[in-house]
Amino acid sequence: MSARITSALDWSANWSSWINPPPENSPLTPVQRQILAALEIPVWRLRNPVNRTRQSVNPDQPVEPAAKATPVAVEPLEPPDWTSLRQQVENCRSCGLHQQRLRPVFGVGDEAADWLIIGEAPGQEEDQQGEPFVGRAGKLLDNMLTAIGLSRDQVYIANIVKCRPPGNRDPHLDEREACQGYLSRQIALLQPKITVALGRVAAHTLLSTDDAVGKLRQREFSHGQEGIPLVVTYHPAYLLRSPAEKSKVWDDLCFARERYNHHPSRE
């Protein structure tokens, strides 16, 4: 380093000129540039010099308070209406079941019903017609409802999954999870006073249990954040294979009717 730069680095030599650098518009001297380069300090130039002039404040003058931000109203999250929810199901590609379906089976019935009937999955005839419980099991379900004074038009019927599993197998866990949001929103729109779960798949999904249907019968459960009463019974398709069990389903439906009659909204 030259003697000129070394002398400029002497802390006693004109130190005040480095504490108070030249105005921003003033060019650096060649010596200053050499020193900065020797110290590997880049030279920055301000495109728009900042005005450092401080504004004088009158202590007797009142200070205006800062303006308050206007609060933004946030709309609460609500489930979509029935039409838009149905459209979402029509367009759903969340699991592999959509690949072989003919028609998604959304649900059917009174959209303001007190009773919600939930099965497991569409079968072949339901896949063709796009409506739940339309085959032999559906006709048996209609007779079961008639026995306790209800018609198909007075309840709402849905399934755990909206598309038919191949070969009418039980829906897999990922398939049930893919449809869970749709069923939850249907329940939120319907706000039923009682739910009847038909069969093992529906009971296990809604209650997060693996107990047999025989152990879940004749008991009142609750599901959802609203604590909706839920009763479990056998699926109509099971009754077609085991007609001797129909008397048990009759007992279960009578139990459901009793629990419905004791609902707080009816007392």
Side-chain angles (χ1 to χ4, degrees):
M1 186 180 295
S2 67
R4 189 175 182 182
I5 295 177
T6 303
S7 63
L9 285 174
D10 187 358
W11 302 119
S12 61
N14 200 17
W15 174 241
S16 61
S17 66
W18 291 96
I19 297 178
N20 300 298
E24 285 128 343
N25 290 334
S26 301
L28 294 173
T29 66
V31 175
Q32 289 174 328
R33 290 183 179 277
Q34 285 181 320
I35 295 172
L36 293 175
L39 297 176
E40 298 182 353
I41 298 176
V43 178
W44 298 93
R45 297 182 61 186
L46 296 176
R47 293 183 179 180
N48 297 311
V50 179
N51 182 8
R52 289 190 172 89
T53 304
R54 298 185 62 181
Q55 183 178 2
S56 60
V57 179
N58 185 355
D60 297 329
Q61 182 178 359
V63 179
E64 295 183 2
K68 295 183 178 180
T70 303
V72 179
V74 179
E75 294 292 335
L77 293 177
E78 295 181 356
D81 57 32
W82 286 100
T83 301
S84 60
L85 183 57
R86 182 183 293 271
Q87 188 63 46
Q88 291 178 22
V89 172
E90 293 279 349
N91 299 330
C92 181
R93 302 292 185 272
S94 297
C95 75
L97 292 182
H98 79 275
Q99 297 175 352
Q100 298 181 350
R101 76 184 182 197
L102 295 178
R103 300 179 64 181
V105 180
F106 179 76
V108 68
D110 184 357
E111 294 175 354
D114 289 346
W115 288 68
L116 172 61
I117 313 296
I118 301 179
E120 57 184 51
Q124 181 178 6
E125 294 184 68
E126 288 80 10
D127 184 46
Q128 293 172 347
Q129 299 186 38
E131 183 175 325
F133 288 95
V134 294
R136 293 178 59 208
K139 292 178 181 177
L140 180 54
L141 174 61
D142 291 346
N143 293 336
M144 291 161 54
L145 294 173
T146 300
I148 58 171
L150 294 172
S151 68
R152 190 180 182 92
D153 296 334
Q154 292 176 298
V155 302
Y156 193 85
I157 305 173
N159 281 315
I160 294 296
V161 298
K162 307 301 184 188
C163 301
R164 179 195 178 195
N168 291 345
R169 62 163 172 78
D170 290 347
H172 295 157
L173 177 60
D174 64 313
E175 296 162 350
R176 286 180 276 158
E177 290 177 344
C179 270
Q180 184 176 2
Y182 297 130
L183 181 60
S184 296
R185 279 172 278 180
Q186 284 179 302
I187 295 173
L189 286 169
L190 187 66
Q191 297 183 6
K193 293 182 174 60
I194 191 165
T195 298
V196 178
L198 300 177
R200 171 176 49 84
V201 173
H204 288 181
T205 303
L206 294 171
L207 297 176
S208 299
T209 182
D210 57 0
D211 287 345
V213 172
K215 292 184 178 181
L216 300 173
R217 296 180 51 247
Q218 293 292 297
R219 297 166 60 186
E220 180 180 349
F221 300 91
S222 63
H223 72 101
Q225 296 180 349
E226 298 79 9
I228 302 169
L230 183 145
V231 172
V232 177
T233 192
Y234 294 107
H235 194 283
Y238 171 76
L239 299 180
L240 294 175
R241 301 189 302 269
S242 306
E245 304 286 17
K246 290 182 180 180
S247 60
K248 295 181 180 179
V249 175
W250 165 250
D251 292 339
D252 296 337
L253 292 178
C254 289
F255 177 73
R257 167 63 81 175
E258 177 188 356
R259 302 320 303 156
Y260 169 72
N261 289 338
H262 286 87
H263 192 277
S265 66
R266 296 178 56 82
E267 293 181 348

